[in-house]
């Protein structure tokens, strides 16, 4: 059986001034790692990927005519939205679930996973952004994620969360647009903070390069079926187009 690639690209020649990222698109585990000591049910929970995020990103890629990049393997194999030196890059426990296949890894195996799964994805993202820079002065980096409605015994009230650090060119108008679009609870750096270890991709490919960027988290029960995905794709498309129309000069400034 053929293994999935470490990443895939959709609509690579898309013309929109944006590059879409889906860091936790897949729950696949390479055959050489077996099942990491987990059941299929465990791997396909939120600890293994971001349910709904890949389909949502695909819809946005089509509607915006934007290139999109997707991870090929589970975040339990390696979390490509963490820095290479982050202790949670390859987690031994996630939401109370011990991951036997990740326990007591030596440096050689850690570096092998970085080389095999982490670096190819981020190199492809960088190349796609380089390509986008040839058609527009400052392409936006939009990272799509989803979050579980309940974590560590607590319900999470947010319909969507917007993660950002110092650059609010996209985050601030996007939060405003979402709040005005419907009766939504929108988190500002909730349920995760873009100022913590979460959000490596937008820091590396957006903040470091001076490009407008934002990480969008949608609650998983809201995009658990095709209707929910379509609704949120339309909403984000609408909000993003509004931001470009109202503030395009500022957002896309070099």
């Amino acid at each position: 059986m053929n293994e999935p690639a470490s990443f895939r690209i959709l609509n690579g020649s898309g013309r929109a001034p944006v590059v879409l990222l889906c860091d936790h698109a897949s729950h696949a585990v390479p055959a050489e790692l077996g099942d990491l000591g987990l059941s299929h049910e465990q791997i396909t929970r939120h600890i293994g990927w971001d349910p709904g995020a890949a389909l949502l990103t695909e819809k946005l890629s089509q509607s915006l005519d934007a290139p999109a990049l997707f991870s090929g393997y589970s975040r339990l194999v390696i979390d490509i939205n963490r820095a290479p030196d982050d202790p949670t890059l390859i987690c031994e426990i996630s939401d109370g679930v011990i991951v036997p296949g990740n326990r007591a890894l030596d440096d050689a195996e850690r570096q092998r996973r970085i080389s095999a799964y982490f670096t190819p994805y981020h190199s492809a993202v960088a190349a796609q952004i380089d390509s986008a820079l040839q058609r527009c002065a400052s392409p936006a980096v939009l990272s799509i994620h989803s979050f579980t409605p309940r974590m560590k015994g607590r319900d999470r009230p947010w319909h969507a969360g917007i993660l950002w650090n110092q650059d609010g060119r996209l985050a601030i108008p996007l939060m405003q647009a979402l709040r005005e679009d419907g009766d939504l609870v929108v988190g500002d750096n909730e349920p995760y903070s873009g100022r913590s270890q979460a959000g490596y991709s937008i820091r590396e490919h957006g903040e470091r390069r001076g490009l407008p960027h934002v990480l969008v988290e949608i609650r998983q029960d809201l995009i658990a079926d095709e209707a929910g995905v379509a609704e949120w794709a339309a909403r984000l498309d609408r909000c993003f187009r509004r931001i470009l129309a109202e503030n395009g000069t500022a957002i896309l400034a070099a």
Side-chain angles (χ1 to χ4, degrees):
M1 182 176 64
N2 292 331
E3 294 264 69
S6 56
F7 67 90
R8 65 182 174 95
I9 300 174
L10 178 66
N11 195 17
S13 59
R15 304 302 299 171
V18 59
V19 175
L20 293 162
L21 308 181
C22 191
D23 296 329
H24 300 146
S26 173
H27 56 70
V29 177
E32 62 191 358
L33 297 181
D35 55 12
L36 293 173
L38 300 175
S39 67
H40 178 74
E41 180 181 7
Q42 289 172 316
I43 293 174
T44 55
R45 287 181 57 208
H46 70 91
I47 62 173
W49 66 320
D50 282 0
L55 289 177
L56 178 57
T57 305
E58 289 174 0
K59 290 280 190 183
L60 285 170
S61 175
Q62 295 166 3
S63 66
L64 291 170
D65 189 26
L69 294 98
F70 303 80
S71 62
Y73 288 104
S74 171
R75 64 194 303 175
L76 295 176
V77 173
I78 190 166
D79 192 335
I80 58 177
N81 198 34
R82 298 290 185 270
D85 61 352
D86 192 306
T88 65
L89 179 73
I90 302 174
C91 62
E92 295 186 17
I93 185 168
S94 180
D95 196 17
V97 177
I98 294 172
V99 186
N102 289 346
R103 304 198 74 178
L105 295 185
D106 58 24
D107 288 342
E109 173 59 15
R110 184 182 179 90
Q111 289 302 315
R112 190 194 67 80
R113 292 196 198 181
I114 290 173
S115 297
Y117 314 121
F118 181 97
T119 300
Y121 174 84
H122 286 290
S123 295
V125 172
Q128 195 67 55
I129 292 173
D130 288 343
S131 178
L133 282 165
Q134 296 179 19
R135 66 176 185 272
C136 60
S138 189
V141 180
L142 181 60
S143 182
I144 304 297
H145 290 250
S146 69
F147 65 94
T148 181
R150 187 172 177 82
M151 183 77 167
K152 297 180 179 178
R154 294 185 179 182
D155 291 329
R156 293 158 134 185
W158 308 281
H159 297 94
I162 305 302
L163 277 61
W164 61 294
N165 186 16
Q166 299 176 352
D167 185 344
R169 283 178 287 174
L170 280 180
I172 293 172
L174 182 56
M175 284 187 286
Q176 179 180 348
L178 285 170
R179 288 166 179 156
E180 294 176 358
D181 190 71
D183 187 19
L184 300 175
V185 179
V186 181
D188 182 350
N189 276 317
E190 298 285 359
Y192 305 104
S193 175
R195 300 183 175 98
S196 66
Q197 76 274 14
Y200 171 79
S201 288
I202 57 170
R203 290 199 307 274
E204 174 67 16
H205 301 292
E207 185 175 284
R208 188 181 64 81
R209 299 181 71 158
L211 301 176
H213 57 275
V214 69
L215 190 156
V216 180
E217 293 263 8
I218 308 299
R219 206 174 67 206
Q220 288 164 6
D221 59 313
L222 303 177
I223 52 174
D225 55 30
E226 290 186 8
V229 169
E231 177 183 348
W232 273 94
R235 175 176 287 122
L236 289 174
D237 178 280
R238 187 163 60 243
C239 290
F240 193 68
R241 289 180 185 276
R242 169 181 163 181
I243 293 167
L244 290 179
E246 295 180 354
N247 306 290
T249 301
I251 290 174
L252 300 179

